[in-house]
């Protein structure tokens, strides 16, 4: 007897090695269960055909249509000089529009016999333009005959599922493969507890799988999707609820600041008052720090809302209580920047143990991978003796050699660059688990916060501190209106003439070897502008210095420079010695030069919405208004231009993060940003399904509180193990 459960059966046993290989390579499907969870993207109704009028360019499409006419032409060509070349042109229609199909050479014989006027079929191929008309060249097709037994059986019901397909595997071949494995759906283990399923009137899992792949009515599809959404939301929320439950079981040292310690001294010397938001969030953090379980808090704040100030006050509270605090930054530039701004804010309070240091002072040390041996040894010594109350560093802080006297708080800046394993490694440095504060300047919609950071409590800073200036953003269409670009460089010169500085941001450095593998792969609907490589810092800086910005002091900054050189460039820019800094996105996070008022982002369409918002936050940090120019060569009708228009039209990061999410797959948000990787969410849409996620979170908390080990729910445990395996792989990928 075969002991492999039906859903874990490898596809090559069921479908044959050739089909299974294509499914594994192109769609990431390996087992019967994977294929059953590869849901249709949409459904075609027999009587209601896809609108040919709305076909997207350069995309693989599947259409159902009727042949209007078919003509065979002969022509002469290099391969067939005597006029023996053959071309079959077939026009199909669906009532909304017409589309031309073209077949050449030996490929004309079969369609010439089969595609007679009046024949209905499904056609799949890539939409292209020839002589200003849309066409499909050599499409694959499947005739829809009403009479033949097999076809009627295969396309049973009035709804034809259209699957996310690839050039190597058309939708209907996937459909046939699904029909082959569909009987196994009866053996699917149901992860939802019976009481929950019955209480919410959800279908059993086998029935939901059957209905999503072979629906008879639209109601079948709706019921199936509602059920499958719950599976995804609930299993994910149970994983997060168990993580939260485990955290509450951990002991932590409560950290309560002394009434007249370093925090009070710091507050007394602040030249401004905290915003209402900063005060409120600080109180939430202090309340968490005072408990005997580790704090796990996510601090979201718009670019420039004063998160660093809130984090610094939390670190000082812990130092007051006799502990140490570590702040972790994703890059060396940022760690150095934080170290500079923290020591500046603290003044003499950061000179503990030094002559002239204040009575409540502590030592603030920097620890990065590229420090000299002597400086590094001193920093490590200050940490292990407890001389340093605050350390700021990069991943170098996680290394085995780094030991603390008494680590009480870890602050992580820009969480999305930081895996859970790394958080855990740093946590292991404390005698008891330290408190954790995670900061992000990428505004996260509430549902994403519940889904991605569901193991953290959330605080939001949504007010900007007084004295911040508005930023005006404009799209500069360089291809349509080249004079706009010339005007952009004039604006930069004007800002510099007024005593200010500017950034120019480019997608690439410019000294990379062009990777032939990569360049062969990139094909998007906007290929026209994509054909040239993205603009590079080194080339642009050179052109600007000799051309439109001649006479200005232009410098470059990118991630592959030696850290000392990077720091020197940043110092010169911060000191106002450089007029224009041409940089990659190394300046995206945390760089703070109040005198920089203008930013020109080249090839802005190559950046994500949130990234553009982050970059833009680097200007307008002082009293003068900021200007951000988004330069693109994309045509006006393209999705990329719409995205840039959205960024230019609002400064509300939460609004932009919604737009960003709607335009990207949720998979990117959930940590699998590798292109082509399947999102672990298949039917759940993080933005639309806010209620399902919120309810699933409550249900999950109830289930975990009653049975943390899920001993009474073996099917849920199995589903959880499968999800966590996938998640573990993701963290390793992010490593």
């Amino acid at each position: 007897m075969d002991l492999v459960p039906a859903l874990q059966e490898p596809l090559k046993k069921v479908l044959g090695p050739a089909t299974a290989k294509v499914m594994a390579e192109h769609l990431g499907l390996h087992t019967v269960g994977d294929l059953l969870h590869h849901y249709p993207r949409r459904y075609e109704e027999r009587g209601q055909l896809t609108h040919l009028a709305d076909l997207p360019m350069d995309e693989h499409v599947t259409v159902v249509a009727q042949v209007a006419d078919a003509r065979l032409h002969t022509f002469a060509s290099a391969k067939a000089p005597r006029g023996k070349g053959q071309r079959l042109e077939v026009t199909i229609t669906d009532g909304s529009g017409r589309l031309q199909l073209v077949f050449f050479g030996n490929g004309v014989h079969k369609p010439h016999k089969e595609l007679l006027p009046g024949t209905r079929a499904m056609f799949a191929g890539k939409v292209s333009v020839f002589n200003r008309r849309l066409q499909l060249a050599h499409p694959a097709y499947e005739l829809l005959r009403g009479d033949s037994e097999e076809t009627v059986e295969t396309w049973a019901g009035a709804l034809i599922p259209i699957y996310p397909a690839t050039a190597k595997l058309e939708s209907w071949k996937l459909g046939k493969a699904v029909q082959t494995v569909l009987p196994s759906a009866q053996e699917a283990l149901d992860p939802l507890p019976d009481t929950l399923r019955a209480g919410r009137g959800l279908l059993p899992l086998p029935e939901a799988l059957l209905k999503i792949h072979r629906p008879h009515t639209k109601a079948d599809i709706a019921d199936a999707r509602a059920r499958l959404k719950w599976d995804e939301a609930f299993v994910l929320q149970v994983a997060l609820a168990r993580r939260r439950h485990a955290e509450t079981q951990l002991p932590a040292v409560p950290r309560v600041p002394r009434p007249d310690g370093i925090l009070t001294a710091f507050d007394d010397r602040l030249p401004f008052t905290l915003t209402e938001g900063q005060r409120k969030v600080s109180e939430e953090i202090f309340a968490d720090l005072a408990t005997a379980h580790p704090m796990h808090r996510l601090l979201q704040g718009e670019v420039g809302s004063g998160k660093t100030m809130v984090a610094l006050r939390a670190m000082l509270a812990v130092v007051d209580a006799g502990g140490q605090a570590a702040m972790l930054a994703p890059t060396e530039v940022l760690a150095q920047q934080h170290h500079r701004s923290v020591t500046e804010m603290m003044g003499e309070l950061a000179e503990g143990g030094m002559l002239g240091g204040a009575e409540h002072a502590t030592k603030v040390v920097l620890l990065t991978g590229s420090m000299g041996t002597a400086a590094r040894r001193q920093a490590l010594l200050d940490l292990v003796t407890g001389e340093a109350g605050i350390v700021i560093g990069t991943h170098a802080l996680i290394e085995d050699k780094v030991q603390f006297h008494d680590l009480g708080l870890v602050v992580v800046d820009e969480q999305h660059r930081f895996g859970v394993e790394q958080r855990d490694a740093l946590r292991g440095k404390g005698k008891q688990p330290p408190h954790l504060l995670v900061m992000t300047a990428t505004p996260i919609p509430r549902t994403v916060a519940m889904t991605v950071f569901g193991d953290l409590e959330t605080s939001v800073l949504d007010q900007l501190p007084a004295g911040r200036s508005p930023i005006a953003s404009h799209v500069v269409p360089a291809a349509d209106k080249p004079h706009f670009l010339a005007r952009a460089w004039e604006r930069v010169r004007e800002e510099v003439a007024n005593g200010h500085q500017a950034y120019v941001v480019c997608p690439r450095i410019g000294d990379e070897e062009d990777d032939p593998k990569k360049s062969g792969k990139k094909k998007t609907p906007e290929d026209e502008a994509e054909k040239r490589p993205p603009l590079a810092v080194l080339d642009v800086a050179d052109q600007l210095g000799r051309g439109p910005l001649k006479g200005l002091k232009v410098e470059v900054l990118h991630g592959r420079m030696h850290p000392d050189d990077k720091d020197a460039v940043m110092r010169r820019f911060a000191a106002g010695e450089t007029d224009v800094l041409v940089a990659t996105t190394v300046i995206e996070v945390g760089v703070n030069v109040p005198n920089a008022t203008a930013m020109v982002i080249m090839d802005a369409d190559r950046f994500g919405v949130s990234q553009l918002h982050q970059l833009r936050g680097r200007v307008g940090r002082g009293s003068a208004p900021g200007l951000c120019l988004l330069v693109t060569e994309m045509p006006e009708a393209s999705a990329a231009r719409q995205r840039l228009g959205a960024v230019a039209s609002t400064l509300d990061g939460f609004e932009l993060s919604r737009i960003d999410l709607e335009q990207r797959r949720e998979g990117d948000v959930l940590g699998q940003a590798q292109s082509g990787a399947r999102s672990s969410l298949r039917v759940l849409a993080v933005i639309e399904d806010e209620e399902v996620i919120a309810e699933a979170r409550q249900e999950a908390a109830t289930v975990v509180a009653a049975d943390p080990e899920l001993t009474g729910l073996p099917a849920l445990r199995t589903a959880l193990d499968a999800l966590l395996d996938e998640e573990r792989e993701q963290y390793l990928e992010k490593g």
Side-chain angles (χ1 to χ4, degrees):
M1 176 182 153
D2 188 1
L3 294 175
V4 179
L7 269 66
Q8 285 165 22
E9 188 82 60
L11 284 172
K12 60 172 175 277
K13 274 190 160 174
V14 190
L15 302 174
T19 310
K21 183 168 184 261
V22 175
M23 286 194 178
E25 283 175 10
H26 293 273
L27 296 167
L29 307 175
H30 303 278
T31 64
V32 167
D34 289 346
L35 182 54
L36 285 174
H37 288 293
H38 185 73
Y39 308 132
R41 175 182 293 164
R42 57 191 172 82
Y43 302 84
E44 282 299 352
E45 292 182 65
R46 279 277 166 75
Q48 187 195 357
L49 301 176
T50 325
H51 290 311
L52 291 181
D54 305 334
L55 288 181
M57 271 300 296
D58 265 354
E59 279 192 25
H60 259 277
V61 297
T62 303
V63 296
V64 179
Q66 190 161 9
V67 177
D69 68 32
R71 294 174 190 193
L72 193 60
H73 301 274
T74 53
F75 60 91
S77 70
K79 284 186 183 164
R82 297 206 190 104
K84 292 276 177 66
Q86 290 193 308
R87 181 175 80 240
L88 176 66
E89 291 179 1
V90 178
T91 306
I92 58 173
T93 177
D94 69 348
S96 77
R98 296 166 85 81
L99 179 67
Q100 185 134 27
L101 316 178
V102 192
F103 301 88
F104 293 100
N106 294 336
V108 303
H109 304 307
K110 184 168 178 268
H112 191 217
K113 284 209 298 273
E114 294 184 335
L115 296 178
L116 304 171
T119 309
R120 290 170 46 110
M122 295 174 82
F123 301 92
K126 196 170 182 185
V127 183
S128 57
V129 171
F130 181 71
N131 277 347
R132 307 183 81 160
R133 285 166 63 191
L134 292 182
Q135 69 167 28
L136 296 182
H138 280 281
Y141 62 87
E142 174 89 355
L143 300 180
L144 294 176
R145 301 190 182 92
D147 48 350
S148 116
E149 255 318 291
E150 194 247 3
T151 319
V152 173
E153 179 49 37
T154 311
W155 308 112
L159 293 160
I160 303 167
I162 305 289
Y163 289 89
T166 71
K168 294 269 191 301
L169 201 62
E170 291 91 17
S171 169
W172 55 82
K173 289 190 182 154
L174 271 163
K176 286 183 173 169
V178 170
Q179 298 298 338
T180 309
V181 301
L182 208 48
S184 309
Q186 292 306 329
E187 298 179 42
L189 291 174
D190 201 326
L192 295 190
D194 292 344
T195 48
L196 188 159
R197 196 173 54 70
R200 294 192 173 270
L202 298 167
L203 298 178
L205 183 57
E207 192 182 332
L209 289 171
L210 207 62
K211 283 187 167 171
I212 199 143
H213 290 296
R214 292 186 69 170
H216 291 293
T217 63
K218 286 185 173 168
D220 285 354
I221 301 169
D223 292 349
R225 289 180 70 89
R227 160 62 217 242
L228 295 166
K229 279 178 183 184
W230 258 92
D231 274 19
E232 287 177 16
F234 182 71
V235 175
L236 186 58
Q237 291 300 339
V238 166
L240 294 166
R242 289 190 68 198
R243 210 179 279 164
R244 285 196 304 274
H245 179 81
E247 307 287 9
T248 59
Q249 304 306 303
L250 294 173
V253 179
R255 309 280 179 175
V256 181
R258 296 208 306 272
D260 56 350
I262 190 168
L263 178 62
T264 311
F266 175 76
D267 285 348
D268 288 346
R269 45 169 297 155
L270 278 181
F272 51 81
T273 52
L274 297 174
T275 65
E276 184 57 39
Q278 284 174 318
R279 275 205 299 278
K280 183 175 125 287
V281 170
S282 289
E283 278 162 21
E284 292 171 351
I285 291 171
F286 292 155
D288 283 358
L289 289 174
T291 62
H293 300 297
M295 162 171 84
H296 286 102
R297 193 165 278 283
L298 172 69
L299 173 56
Q300 298 188 53
E302 276 288 9
V303 178
S305 57
K307 292 184 299 298
T308 315
M309 172 62 69
V310 170
L312 177 54
R313 293 184 73 239
M315 295 198 286
L316 293 174
V318 169
V319 171
D320 258 349
Q324 289 169 296
M327 184 181 220
L328 212 56
T331 64
E332 295 214 349
V333 168
L334 199 54
Q336 288 161 340
Q337 175 99 23
H338 276 319
H339 182 252
R340 257 201 308 276
S341 61
V342 163
T343 46
E344 279 166 18
M345 283 198 264
M346 287 176 63
E348 64 202 35
L349 296 177
E351 294 166 7
M354 304 180 201
L355 285 171
E359 140 195 31
H360 293 301
T362 185
K363 211 168 178 182
V364 180
V365 298
L366 177 69
L367 190 62
T368 63
S370 64
M371 283 169 77
T373 319
R376 187 178 171 77
R377 192 177 297 130
Q378 184 59 50
L380 290 171
L381 189 66
D382 287 343
L383 285 179
V384 76
T385 58
E387 182 85 6
I390 294 177
V391 58
I392 295 170
T394 53
H395 294 61
L397 279 177
I398 301 174
E399 288 173 16
D400 293 343
K401 297 193 216 53
V402 181
Q403 294 192 337
F404 291 84
H405 176 64
D406 179 13
L407 180 61
L409 170 68
V410 176
V411 178
V412 180
D413 193 14
E414 287 308 311
Q415 157 69 19
H416 59 282
R417 296 154 188 262
F418 212 78
V420 164
E421 258 85 17
Q422 293 157 318
R423 269 176 13 195
D424 290 346
L426 192 56
R427 240 184 240 167
K429 303 270 182 199
K431 297 189 175 70
Q432 286 194 329
H435 299 281
L436 177 71
L437 179 65
V438 171
M439 302 198 294
T440 176
T442 311
I444 304 167
R446 175 172 159 256
T447 42
V448 181
M450 284 194 291
T451 312
V452 188
F453 303 110
D455 54 337
L456 303 171
E457 298 298 326
T458 307
S459 295
V460 178
L461 273 178
D462 45 14
Q463 285 171 294
L464 286 187
R468 274 312 181 83
S469 304
I471 305 169
S473 307
H474 304 284
V475 178
V476 177
D480 312 352
K481 299 180 177 164
H483 59 285
F484 275 39
L485 183 58
R487 176 73 187 114
W489 300 126
E490 281 173 27
R491 282 292 289 116
V492 170
R493 294 192 81 100
E494 287 165 16
E495 289 297 315
V496 173
N498 289 332
H500 297 303
Q501 293 159 279
Y503 298 100
V504 177
V505 182
C506 305
R508 201 166 70 96
I509 297 172
D511 56 0
E512 307 91 340
E513 289 294 310
D514 275 335
D515 181 346
K517 281 199 295 240
K518 280 188 187 160
S519 56
K521 232 162 86 178
K522 184 114 180 157
K523 286 279 187 289
T524 71
E526 285 137 5
D527 261 0
E528 283 320 297
E530 291 275 355
K531 278 184 182 140
R532 66 166 176 72
L535 290 170
V537 166
L538 301 177
D539 309 341
V540 169
D542 184 45
Q543 288 159 13
L544 290 176
R546 285 182 300 153
L549 302 186
K550 195 171 177 181
L552 300 186
K553 181 104 173 61
V554 178
E555 287 209 73
V556 299
L557 178 70
H558 58 75
R560 281 216 290 279
M561 288 163 62
H562 188 278
D564 293 349
D565 297 341
K566 276 195 278 201
D567 202 37
V569 168
M570 269 320 297
R571 277 179 193 280
R572 285 196 292 275
F573 190 65
E577 294 164 27
T578 307
D579 297 321
V580 179
L581 187 62
V582 182
T584 55
T585 52
V586 290
I587 62 152
E588 175 187 352
V589 178
V591 172
N592 184 21
V593 179
N595 191 44
T597 52
M599 175 177 285
V600 181
I601 302 179
M602 307 303 291
D603 279 343
D605 46 87
R606 310 278 175 118
F607 300 98
V609 169
S610 297
Q611 200 173 24
L612 290 169
H613 184 57
Q614 286 280 339
L615 285 166
R616 170 172 65 184
R618 303 298 116 219
V619 295
R621 297 177 81 85
S623 52
L627 172 70
C628 178
L629 301 173
L630 307 166
V631 179
T632 177
E633 292 189 359
M634 284 296 176
E636 198 163 349
S638 62
R641 271 283 280 281
Q642 289 164 3
R643 217 171 43 235
L644 296 179
V647 174
S649 67
T650 177
L651 289 172
D652 180 345
F654 285 94
E655 176 57 30
L656 285 174
S657 67
R658 281 188 84 97
I659 293 169
D660 198 16
L661 249 185
E662 282 160 9
Q663 294 196 338
R664 293 190 307 168
R665 295 191 347 273
E666 266 95 4
D668 302 351
V669 183
L670 299 182
Q672 245 184 341
Q674 283 79 356
S675 55
R678 281 181 313 145
S679 149
S680 57
L681 296 188
R682 296 184 179 88
V683 281
L684 192 69
V686 171
I687 290 283
E688 291 158 31
D689 298 320
E690 190 162 336
E691 280 165 32
V692 176
I693 293 171
E695 289 171 18
R697 184 179 165 114
Q698 286 175 335
E699 293 274 11
T702 312
V703 166
V704 170
D707 180 4
E709 291 306 306
L710 308 179
T711 33
L713 300 164
L716 177 56
R717 274 210 75 112
T718 308
L720 200 59
D721 292 343
L723 174 78
L724 293 178
D725 274 355
E726 212 172 293
E727 226 181 63
R728 240 172 247 135
E729 281 167 26
Q730 289 179 21
Y731 285 128
L732 294 176
E733 281 168 8
K734 279 206 282 197

